[in-house]
């Protein structure tokens, strides 16, 4: 580093929080503002009937959440929306399995999704759903605009129909051999191996995924989006969007592969009952195909958030649109949906930045709910491992250039080395030193040349962090957050170390929000420190000056022991799905769970249980509304369940004996 760079860093450091922007609370509805960077951020809509596994979570909502949190810290005017995709055959089949109506299934699993994302601390501005009146209105409006401008075609198509199930099969409910690469498990719309578009009737040896019977071919009249007629306009837009925006390499490659051989008309209607109805008289018995309909959900969900939704979705001059998804969703976001909006000719906001991940696998296999293999979102909190640790590890594994795999042993290694020994020890050591030797107040800092050089190096790391995240590189393997801990040397001035700890709380905010908040709470850091250090290209400043008093410092992380990891590996390895032996396995698991305890976490939860118990008693004494009491009781029961897990006990309460009258 040059002398000038070191001197500049030292000067900025010494200015502290002088002139820092005031902290502003988010106010709803968030709307575009003149002169601000207006960012509209979407995460691919998860299918409502599936409980998301870790791969689904990192591929869409968690990656998007990191960028949303970062953007807000940077002062961008940002709206983050998502919701459940609720129409289609998958929902109908799930309803049949559970003996419920499709709407009841949607209501049930929408709540499941919402609970999972809340536990993972996904900070949506609005989490909606597609089974709404606004969805019907907007989808049908786009349909009529396409129809009126000559972008729809009629054709009779051959479809696969399962006579056993008495229904036409949606693309994802038929499987067979890919006609292009011979992959044996290709879906009816696309091959996951070669990525080629497939017509379901082209599959070799097709099989109904519900009943495993061989479907037959039947004819049906349908409407198509005339993609060839829109191809020139699409390519012009793509050249501009991919040229100026941040598109991941796989998103560019997949989009190019679709265009390479020329686009073909794409069917937008289906012979189903559960979906957005086609308003055309000749097709009134049909519904829109889910991938014509589902992306319109972004618009309708925003419309359910605010009546002024068009300020986001019909405002390409002022709004930047980011889409987050897994790679299998790319063609529908880069080709099919943009063509729908281009053809509608209504000044729609089109995607500027398309961020796609590869796939996350589980150990040496794939996630499978039916086989009990892998961790699904509703199971993660029952492990007793805090959600921030899950966030950290998933974001460390984030499959960017190629597929990656979740590993229990690697998770323990990363937790114990990176979080506990590196980050946790550094922050604890810096804080404890202030508490022990300086009565809890930051001492005077007489900086020498080495200290100034360190400040300049930390500032450089902060600039690298901002450059990476500005370009949506959110994988923790690439972001050098942990380097800030390792920059410290034995003789570093105590005041500098505790200020580096404060900076760490800032750069960790998008990744580990609870840990970040706890660090600032322990340091009693001023609220303005967060936005102040992330302004412009990054400014490392003295936010905890001499005389600043810190709070009580306590450990942030706990060690994951080998025994604990082995219990979890067995639990999620598939053994528990054999119904014949389920009771034996459950008893075995309960015995193993006794080994799985987290002493520090149990201590924290004991205090929270006591606090919540007092709250419940207070509400009852005040004769509060029953719904308020019920909500507080539910929170108390959840905390007690978490405490049982942290203590290594069975979280399910034993059956109570009836009292004798």
């Amino acid at each position: 580093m040059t002398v000038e760079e070191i001197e500049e860093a030292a000067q900025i450091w010494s200015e502290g929080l002088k002139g820092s922007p005031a902290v502003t609370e988010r106010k709803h509805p968030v709307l575009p503002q003149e002169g601000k960077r207006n960012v509209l951020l979407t995460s691919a809509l998860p299918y409502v009937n599936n409980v998301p596994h870790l791969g689904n979570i990192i591929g869409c909502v968690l990656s998007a959440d990191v960028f949303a949190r970062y953007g807000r810290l940077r002062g961008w005017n940002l709206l983050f929306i998502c919701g459940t995709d609720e129409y289609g055959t998958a929902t109908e089949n799930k309803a049949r399995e559970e003996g419920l109506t499709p709407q009841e299934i949607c209501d049930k699993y929408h709540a499941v999704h919402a609970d999972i994302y809340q536990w993972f601390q996904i900070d949506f501005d609005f989490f909606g759903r597609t089974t709404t009146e606004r969805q019907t209105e907007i989808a049908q409006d786009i349909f009529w605009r396409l129809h009126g401008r000559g972008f729809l075609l009629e054709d009779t198509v051959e479809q696969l129909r399962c006579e056993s199930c008495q229904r036409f099969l949606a693309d994802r409910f038929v499987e067979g051999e890919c006609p292009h690469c011979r992959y044996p498990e290709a879906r009816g719309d696309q091959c996951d191996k070669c990525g080629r578009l497939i017509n379901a009737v082209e599959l070799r040896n097709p099989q109904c995924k519900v009943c495993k019977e061989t479907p037959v071919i039947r004819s049906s009249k349908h409407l198509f989006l005339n993609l060839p007629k829109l191809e020139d306009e699409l390519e012009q837009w793509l050249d501009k969007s991919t040229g100026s925006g941040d598109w991941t390499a796989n998103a560019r490659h997949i989009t190019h592969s679709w265009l390479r051989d020329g686009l073909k008309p794409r069917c937008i209607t289906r012979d189903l009952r559960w979906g957005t109805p086609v308003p055309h008289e000749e097709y009134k018995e049909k519904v829109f195909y889910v991938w014509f309909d589902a992306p319109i959900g972004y618009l309708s969900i925003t419309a359910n958030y605010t009546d002024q939704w068009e300020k986001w979705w019909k405002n390409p001059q002022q709004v930047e649109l980011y889409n987050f998804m897994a790679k299998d969703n790319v063609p529908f976001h880069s080709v099919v949906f943009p063509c729908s909006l281009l053809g509608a000719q209504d000044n729609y906001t089109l995607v500027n930045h398309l961020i796609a991940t590869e796939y996350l696998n589980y150990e040496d296999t794939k996630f499978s709910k039916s086989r009990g293999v892998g961790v699904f979102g509703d199971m993660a909190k029952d492990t007793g491992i805090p959600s921030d640790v899950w966030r950290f590890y998933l974001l460390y594994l984030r499959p960017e250039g190629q597929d990656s795999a979740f590993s229990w042993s690697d998770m323990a290694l990363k937790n114990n080395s990176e979080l506990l020994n590196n980050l946790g020890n550094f922050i604890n050591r810096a804080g404890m030193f202030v508490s022990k030797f300086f009565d809890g107040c930051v001492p005077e800092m007489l900086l020498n040349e080495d200290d100034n050089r360190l400040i300049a190096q930390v500032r450089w790391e902060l600039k690298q962090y901002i450059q990476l995240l500005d370009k949506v590189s959110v994988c923790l393997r690439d972001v050098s957050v942990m380097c800030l801990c390792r920059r410290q040397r034995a003789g570093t001035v105590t005041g500098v170390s505790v200020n580096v700890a404060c900076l760490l709380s800032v750069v960790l905010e998008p990744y580990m929000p609870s840990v970040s908040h706890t660090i600032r709470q322990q340091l009693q850091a001023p609220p303005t420190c967060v936005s102040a250090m992330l302004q412009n290209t990054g400014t490392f400043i003295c936010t905890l000056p001499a005389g600043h008093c810190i709070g009580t410092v306590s450990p942030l992380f706990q060690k994951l022991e080998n025994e604990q990891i082995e219990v979890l590996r067995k639990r999620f390895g598939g053994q528990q799905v054999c119904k014949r032996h389920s009771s034996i396995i459950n008893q075995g698991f309960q015995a193993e769970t006794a080994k799985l305890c987290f002493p520090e976490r149990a201590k924290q939860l004991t205090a929270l249980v006591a606090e919540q118990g007092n709250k419940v008693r207070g509400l009852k004494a005040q004769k509060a509304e029953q719904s308020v009491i019920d909500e507080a009781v539910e929170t108390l029961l959840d905390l007690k369940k978490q405490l049982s897990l942290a203590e290594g006990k069975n979280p399910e309460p034993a059956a109570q004996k009836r009292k004798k009258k």
Side-chain angles (χ1 to χ4, degrees), residues 40-278:
L40 177 57
L41 195 155
T42 70
S43 169
L45 307 182
Y47 284 122
V48 73
N49 60 292
N50 292 333
V51 176
H53 57 63
L54 298 181
N56 302 137
I57 290 167
I58 184 58
C60 301
V61 295
L62 180 52
S63 296
D65 181 64
V66 171
F67 192 68
R69 288 175 178 274
Y70 170 75
R72 293 180 188 125
L73 294 178
R74 292 277 278 150
W76 303 343
N77 185 47
L78 185 146
L79 177 66
F80 179 21
I81 59 124
C82 187
T84 41
D85 174 9
E86 303 191 349
Y87 284 131
T89 303
T91 304
E92 286 185 342
N93 284 337
K94 190 71 171 177
R96 191 189 303 120
E97 286 174 18
E98 298 196 15
L100 299 172
T101 66
Q103 187 62 61
E104 288 170 339
I105 279 290
C106 292
D107 295 343
K108 173 183 175 179
Y109 283 97
H110 174 81
V112 169
H113 278 264
D115 287 346
I116 289 168
Y117 303 139
Q118 184 177 22
W119 187 81
F120 273 95
Q121 304 176 76
I122 309 300
D123 192 14
F124 302 116
D125 286 296
F126 187 69
F127 184 72
R129 53 201 306 188
T130 58
T131 51
T132 66
E133 290 182 11
R134 299 312 300 267
Q135 175 74 10
T136 302
E137 291 168 13
I138 297 171
Q140 290 184 349
D141 176 66
I142 290 174
F143 165 79
W144 282 123
R145 294 185 71 90
L146 290 168
H147 184 274
R149 286 157 180 76
F151 291 118
L152 298 182
L153 300 171
E154 292 183 336
D155 199 3
T156 299
V157 298
E158 293 183 327
Q159 292 178 254
L160 293 178
R161 178 178 170 85
C162 179
E163 297 297 350
S164 175
C165 296
Q166 286 294 297
R167 65 178 55 222
F168 285 100
L169 295 178
D171 294 336
R172 297 195 176 223
F173 277 81
V174 60
E175 202 170 70
E177 186 180 294
C178 174
H180 305 291
C181 71
R182 303 296 179 87
Y183 178 59
E185 297 177 10
R187 298 195 311 262
D189 59 350
Q190 189 178 11
C191 174
D192 281 339
K193 186 175 182 182
C194 70
R196 296 284 291 274
L197 175 66
I198 298 172
N199 187 328
V201 295
E202 297 173 339
L203 287 172
R204 297 175 180 176
N205 304 315
Q207 205 177 52
C208 171
K209 288 185 71 175
V210 177
C211 69
K212 305 304 179 186
E213 293 293 323
T214 301
V216 296
I217 297 176
R218 293 284 184 269
S219 295
S220 183
K221 188 178 175 184
H222 284 280
L223 287 166
F224 288 72
L225 179 60
N226 192 346
L227 294 179
K229 192 173 180 178
L230 288 156
E231 191 164 358
D232 288 344
E233 189 177 356
L234 175 72
E235 288 189 346
Q236 289 176 25
W237 165 74
L238 277 171
D239 286 344
K240 181 180 176 182
S241 183
T242 58
S244 60
D246 293 311
W247 287 53
T248 51
N250 57 356
R252 294 171 187 271
H253 173 74
I254 292 167
T255 302
H256 176 71
S257 69
W258 268 56
L259 294 170
R260 185 178 51 220
D261 301 325
L263 297 178
K264 298 175 179 61
R266 183 78 176 170
C267 190
I268 67 165
T269 54
R270 281 291 183 265
D271 290 297
L272 303 175
R273 291 181 290 277
W274 184 246
T276 300
V278 179

Side-chain angles (χ1 to χ4, degrees), residues 421-435 437 485-486 488-489 494 497-498 553:
N421 296 338
N422 185 15
L423 175 64
N425 278 353
F426 168 73
I427 290 172
N428 190 257
R429 195 166 58 242
M432 291 300 291
F433 208 78
V434 172
S435 297
F437 296 106
C485 308
R486 301 187 185 101
Q488 307 304 295
R489 54 184 175 78
T494 299
S497 292
V498 81
V553 178

